Amino acid sequence: MSPRVLIAEDEAAIADSVAYALRGEGFAVDTVQDGESALAAARADGYDVLLLDLMLPGVSGIEVCRRLRTESAIPIVMLTARTAEVDRVVGLDVGADDYVVKPFSMPELISRVRAILRRRELDLAEPTVLRVGALALDPVRHSATVNGEPVRLTPSEFKLLGLLARHPERVFSRRELMQHLWQSSYVGDQRAGDAHIVNLRRKIGRDRLVTVRGFGYKLVAV
Ligand code: CA
């Protein structure tokens, strides 16, 4: 079945060209023009990826992302014209998985969408629950717990934690983590990656995801 993409974008020219490009790559695409419709569609239908404009009429893209993040693990790529917003968008406050800055190229956008779908497939293909100390990670149910208490993670955070949990005590450099996150030797915006790590440490505990000064990070059993 074709991966399903929801585009929430009020500028018709952008929505149409993105939809056209994605359909040409074999995706099933729906578009909505405002925040309320984006929320309703994302909640009602099983989309694989949401491409979400930051500046939407009605409920803003940021607010849509924030709300969806509290209730679903749908991967969200923000479309933004404002680089100044990027930290917030991928940060704990909003929780998008990735973003592209307008004007973006279609090949760039398509490769981001494909990367996110690959990540999700890999997550879903993992059979067993990973345990490191009090931390448990279930790649099938896409859930994480610490001492049995659920921890809500974005797909990107889950992806990073998955790598760390498969190799407890191994120190990963920031670069290795970013390469894993983006599934390529091309490392995307470092700030986006750093924000994911900061959020992850905050969520699972800084004594668990330890900074090894000058080297990187490691997950330890506590
Ligand atoms: Ca807009």
Side-chain angles (χ1 to χ4, degrees):
M1 220 166 66
S2 306
R4 300 184 64 222
V5 181
L6 176 65
I7 302 171
E9 167 65 78
D10 59 309
E11 284 172 71
I14 295 177
D16 289 350
S17 58
V18 171
Y20 180 82
L22 286 170
R23 285 186 186 119
E25 295 288 319
F27 293 94
V29 182
D30 292 319
T31 59
V32 290
Q33 282 80 40
D34 62 75
E36 283 84 358
S37 312
L39 276 173
R43 282 170 176 155
D45 289 309
Y47 287 100
D48 298 298
V49 181
L50 168 60
L51 303 183
L52 181 59
D53 179 31
L54 188 85
M55 304 290 282
L56 284 175
V59 183
S60 76
I62 281 186
E63 190 52 33
V64 170
C65 185
R66 193 184 282 132
R67 287 192 205 169
L68 286 175
R69 202 34 92 219
T70 65
E71 59 192 63
S72 105
I74 183 175
I76 299 174
V77 179
M78 296 295 289
L79 313 178
T80 174
R82 289 153 58 175
T83 44
E85 289 277 18
V86 162
D87 287 334
R88 242 186 106 209
V89 158
V90 296
L92 187 65
D93 187 33
V94 180
D97 296 282
D98 205 351
Y99 66 92
V100 290
V101 177
K102 296 176 185 175
F104 48 83
S105 76
M106 287 307 158
E108 181 193 3
L109 181 67
I110 287 163
S111 77
R112 297 292 183 94
V113 170
R114 286 201 189 289
I116 269 184
L117 290 170
R118 267 201 306 275
R119 260 190 252 171
R120 220 164 95 117
E121 260 171 44
L122 288 173
D123 289 347
L124 293 174
E126 287 281 345
T128 49
V129 175
L130 300 162
R131 290 181 197 282
V132 181
L135 173 82
L137 210 60
D138 185 337
V140 175
R141 295 175 55 217
H142 217 277
S143 67
T145 58
V146 173
N147 291 315
E149 293 292 320
V151 180
R152 196 174 287 279
L153 300 176
T154 68
S156 296
E157 290 160 6
F158 198 88
K159 167 92 175 160
L160 282 175
L161 191 55
L163 176 67
L164 290 157
R166 264 174 235 114
H167 307 276
E169 299 288 343
R170 187 192 142 179
V171 179
F172 286 91
S173 70
R174 213 172 74 165
R175 189 175 177 84
E176 281 178 305
L177 293 174
M178 297 309 107
Q179 285 179 349
H180 177 71
L181 192 55
W182 282 291
Q183 293 286 310
S184 81
S185 56
Y186 165 75
V187 174
D189 193 317
Q190 293 272 1
R191 286 188 301 167
D194 287 345
H196 292 314
I197 291 170
V198 167
N199 294 341
L200 194 51
R201 295 191 73 210
R202 200 182 120 128
K203 288 181 183 181
I204 68 166
R206 290 176 179 83
D207 56 337
R208 190 163 279 114
L209 179 47
V210 177
T211 305
V212 182
R213 206 166 287 280
F215 292 98
Y217 302 90
K218 66 175 180 179
L219 189 68
V220 297
V222 285

